Every structure is written in C-alpha cells, then in structure tokens.
Amino acid sequence: QVQLVESGGGLVQPGGSLRLSCAASGSVLRINTWGWYRQAPGKQRELVASITRLGSTNYANSVKGRFGISRDNAKNTVDLQMNSLKPEDTAVYYCNAVSPLPKLTNYWGQGTQVTVSS
C-alpha cells in the first residue's frame, strides 16, 4: 500500500504561483510513475504532469512552459510548481502514484483545492 498526502493548495490571483507537494509513505519503492491530476467542477479528471522513476516528464499542453514537476527520492515527495496561473487552472489537484507490480495499481491522494481568482 502507498499513502499520498497533498499540501500547498489555496487561493491565488491570476499570474501568481503556487507549489503543491505530495508526501508518500508505505511501499514507495514499487512506484514507477508519479503524477498530478486535476478535476474542475463538471469536468473529467485530467493529467497535468507526470514523472517516471528515471526522471522522464510529461505535461498537458495547457500547462507546458508554466508548470514543473519534480521528485525528491530521499524525501519521497513529488512537487508541482505552478507559475503564471490562470482562472482555468482552478480545480482540485490530486497526487497519483502508479505501481506496476504485483498488479497494476493506482494510488490517489485526497486532493487539494487550487483557486485562481482576482
């Protein structure tokens, strides 16, 4: 089992920045991909950014150049730095971890609210 706890959400003005952090505990050595997803009211959950154990990153087109995902293996944390925030970035952000073994399993955090508004 893997437990994920997000922190760092809040209210920010357009153009501002926030940094989200996800702390992992449990069987973290089984995780091969970490990600941040978001879900806005009335919309499906979507991938924002992901990072593999080898450090390869992937970003949604809507956040490329504005968001950055990073991982600290020693601390078992995954952070999402969000810059130049827009109102359309408003959503609940979820940390995700994928373990391929012994069977493909997705772990989720409880979510943290990010609101971009003036």
Side-chain angles (χ1 to χ4, degrees):
Q1 287 292 327
V2 175
Q3 294 77 42
L4 304 173
V5 179
E6 302 101 334
S7 61
L11 173 65
V12 64
Q13 292 186 341
S17 298
L18 277 178
R19 188 175 184 90
L20 305 183
S21 185
C22 174
S25 60
S27 302
V28 296
L29 292 180
R30 295 183 176 182
I31 303 302
N32 70 348
T33 303
W34 302 85
W36 284 94
Y37 286 71
R38 67 186 181 187
Q39 187 167 19
K43 295 188 177 181
Q44 289 189 328
R45 191 173 296 189
E46 63 175 358
L47 174 68
V48 176
S50 64
I51 184 168
T52 69
R53 179 168 290 279
L54 296 179
S56 296
T57 58
N58 181 48
Y59 294 93
N61 287 335
S62 59
V63 306
K64 282 182 180 177
R66 300 189 297 123
F67 290 13
I69 188 170
S70 60
R71 187 184 78 247
D72 187 325
N73 290 332
K75 296 181 179 180
N76 289 327
T77 57
V78 178
D79 290 354
L80 184 68
Q81 177 66 43
M82 305 185 294
N83 301 322
S84 301
L85 282 161
K86 304 175 181 180
E88 50 264 43
D89 294 318
T90 296
V92 178
Y93 284 70
Y94 296 91
C95 181
N96 168 263
V98 180
S99 170
L101 298 171
K103 65 176 182 178
L104 185 63
T105 303
N106 273 276
Y107 298 96
W108 295 94
Q110 81 285 355
T112 185
Q113 177 71 45
V114 171
T115 302
V116 185
S117 175
S118 55

